[in-house]
Amino acid sequence: MVAIFPILISSLINRHFDFWFVQNIFLTLIFLLSSYGVIKLLFNYTEGNLSIDDVLKIIVYAIALHNLITALGFIFPNLGTIINSIQNQDENTQVVINSIMEFQSRFIGLGIGSFFTGGIVSSLGLLCSAVLIIKESSKRKALVQMAFFAFVALTGLFIARTTLIGFGLAILYMYTPFVSISSDKLRYFKGAQNRIFLACILVIVLMIPVFYFGIAQLTESSAFVHAFEIFLSDGGSTSSTEHMKSMYIFPDNVKTWLIGDGKFTDDNGYYMETDVGYLRLWFYYGILGSVFFFFQQYYSLSVIRKLADNVLIDKFCLFLALFIFIINFKGIGDINYFLFLILWFYIIKAQQYYRQH
């Protein structure tokens, strides 16, 4: 709740009260409490034998299920209409979704599982999947995890191209050395020997749309063009990246840099017509306020790393921190709903250990 103070300071000094972003504070509190409830229930269900692998698998399977539903909603438009009808969207979002469904230009997810945040969710699934692939010593089970990885990567790309960020980081996670921060040693895992199979499975999964639609129909598909535009366009640029470049409008005075203008939205939508994460935060409550926004996420990662004391999770936290840093160059990236699940697992696990010893 301390994060509300920079909002109040900016609002009072600027004499403009735009409390739209205040909801983020209450959502964070809801995520914190609900995540505790979910992890506590899982511990009770497993009689205390819950592992981090179990938590990561549940997250990956849940995201894969979500992406499967979005894919089915795209393939079967009537089902997509039903899925869309049971969701409560604001008027502007609904207009956009209706247009997308009419031209079938991308997959529409459930709740926050669409557009930019949908790409974030898929990216988190890929990073979790990467940990499971490396940890799995059984080739058969590793292949299953690789199949989930490939499926989330493909479907996530059709939801939002932001998935490419998570995909790239997940690949780097698997194919770079594992450094133990505590012992300062390089470590390699037997599970890493299975990584060669990942490329094969990715190719197979990527070929599924080709076999289903055919080359001609697929290349004419708006969804295919949207998902793979970065590979199809000259210079690797996309329409969204070009549009994003026009949104890089920086504060022109010291006051705005420090405490912002107290404005998150205006009559035209986003204040200063920018959707870039860092800029929206800076214009709202400045660099000082932005510190509160990022501190909580990075602090959670720090606590997770210390409690886990594991080279795999060390690197996992590092890549999550890098992910947060990168995605805010596009939009506002808040992954508290994900971090709290991991954080509560390690807190409850630590409490369980101290009680037994």
Side-chain angles (χ1 to χ4, degrees):
M1 296 301 289
V2 177
I4 200 170
F5 286 107
I7 295 177
L8 291 174
I9 292 171
S10 179
S11 299
L12 289 171
I13 293 178
N14 287 292
R15 297 182 180 180
H16 184 89
F17 298 91
D18 182 351
F19 288 118
W20 191 95
F21 197 63
V22 173
Q23 66 179 313
N24 178 264
I25 297 173
F26 292 100
L27 283 174
T28 299
L29 182 60
I30 291 172
F31 292 147
L32 181 66
L33 297 176
S34 58
S35 296
Y36 171 78
V38 169
I39 297 300
K40 191 66 176 178
L41 285 173
L42 288 174
F43 266 102
N44 292 338
Y45 178 76
T46 59
E47 297 181 349
N49 295 318
L50 188 69
S51 69
I52 187 59
D53 291 7
D54 296 327
V55 175
L56 296 180
K57 285 178 182 178
I58 291 172
I59 292 172
V60 171
Y61 297 161
I63 293 173
L65 176 61
H66 166 269
N67 287 13
L68 175 62
I69 294 172
T70 66
L72 292 175
F74 178 83
I75 296 171
F76 304 104
N78 289 336
L79 176 60
T81 301
I82 294 173
I83 294 172
N84 181 49
S85 66
I86 62 176
Q87 299 190 74
N88 183 23
Q89 305 283 6
D90 62 70
E91 184 177 349
N92 292 333
T93 303
Q94 192 60 57
V95 169
V96 174
I97 290 177
N98 291 339
S99 176
I100 289 172
M101 293 181 66
E102 179 181 355
F103 294 101
Q104 287 198 300
S105 56
R106 68 197 299 174
F107 291 2
I108 298 296
L110 305 172
I112 67 169
S114 296
F115 308 112
F116 174 70
T117 51
I120 290 178
V121 170
S122 292
S123 294
L124 293 173
L126 292 174
L127 285 166
C128 290
S129 186
V131 178
L132 294 171
I133 291 171
I134 293 297
K135 292 192 71 174
E136 189 56 69
S137 57
S138 166
K139 284 189 177 181
R140 181 180 62 82
K141 293 181 179 179
L143 288 172
V144 171
Q145 296 303 327
M146 291 176 190
F148 274 100
F149 180 94
F151 177 77
V152 172
L154 179 62
T155 52
L157 192 55
F158 278 92
I159 293 173
R161 287 176 297 227
T162 309
T163 303
L164 281 172
I165 299 173
F167 177 79
L169 290 176
I171 294 296
L172 283 174
Y173 177 91
M174 290 186 285
Y175 286 87
T176 52
F178 291 81
V179 181
S180 175
I181 295 176
S182 57
S183 60
D184 193 28
K185 294 179 180 178
L186 293 178
R187 290 190 58 188
Y188 293 87
F189 292 80
K190 292 182 178 180
Q193 297 173 0
N194 296 320
R195 293 178 297 195
I196 188 64
F197 294 108
L198 178 60
C200 299
I201 293 178
L202 279 171
V203 172
I204 293 172
V205 173
L206 287 171
M207 290 301 292
I208 290 176
V210 177
F211 292 131
Y212 183 83
F213 294 105
I215 293 292
Q217 184 179 351
L218 189 64
T219 53
E220 293 176 358
S221 165
S222 298
F224 178 85
V225 172
H226 177 270
F228 294 93
E229 184 182 3
I230 191 171
F231 305 108
L232 300 174
S233 61
D234 295 332
S237 63
T238 66
S239 56
S240 63
T241 55
E242 292 301 315
H243 179 60
M244 185 178 66
K245 291 178 183 179
S246 67
M247 292 187 178
Y248 274 87
I249 306 169
F250 295 91
D252 58 3
N253 61 84
V254 175
K255 189 267 294 180
T256 302
W257 275 110
L258 290 178
I259 63 168
D261 294 335
K263 298 178 181 179
F264 197 76
T265 59
D266 59 22
D267 294 336
N268 297 321
Y270 302 133
Y271 178 62
M272 297 300 291
E273 298 184 358
T274 179
D275 191 26
V276 176
Y278 290 112
L279 294 177
R280 294 196 74 187
L281 295 172
W282 291 343
F283 276 115
Y284 183 52
Y285 51 18
I287 293 178
L288 294 179
S290 300
V291 168
F292 285 86
F293 177 82
F294 291 106
F295 172 78
Q296 192 280 312
Q297 297 182 75
Y298 288 125
Y299 180 73
S300 293
L301 287 171
S302 175
V303 174
I304 291 170
R305 187 188 67 78
K306 290 178 180 178
L307 290 176
D309 192 24
N310 179 283
V311 65
L312 286 169
I313 303 302
D314 270 346
K315 189 174 179 182
F316 182 55
C317 290
L318 172 64
F319 274 67
L320 285 173
L322 185 58
F323 179 67
I324 294 169
F325 174 76
I326 294 173
I327 59 175
N328 278 278
F329 283 102
K330 176 65 171 69
I332 292 182
D334 182 350
I335 63 170
N336 279 314
Y337 54 86
F338 169 81
L339 293 179
F340 289 151
L341 291 170
I342 312 296
L343 178 63
W344 277 122
F345 165 79
Y346 282 111
I347 290 175
I348 296 175
K349 198 72 174 178
Q351 292 173 343
Q352 184 183 70
Y353 174 82
Y354 289 126
R355 282 196 300 267
Q356 293 174 352
H357 297 79

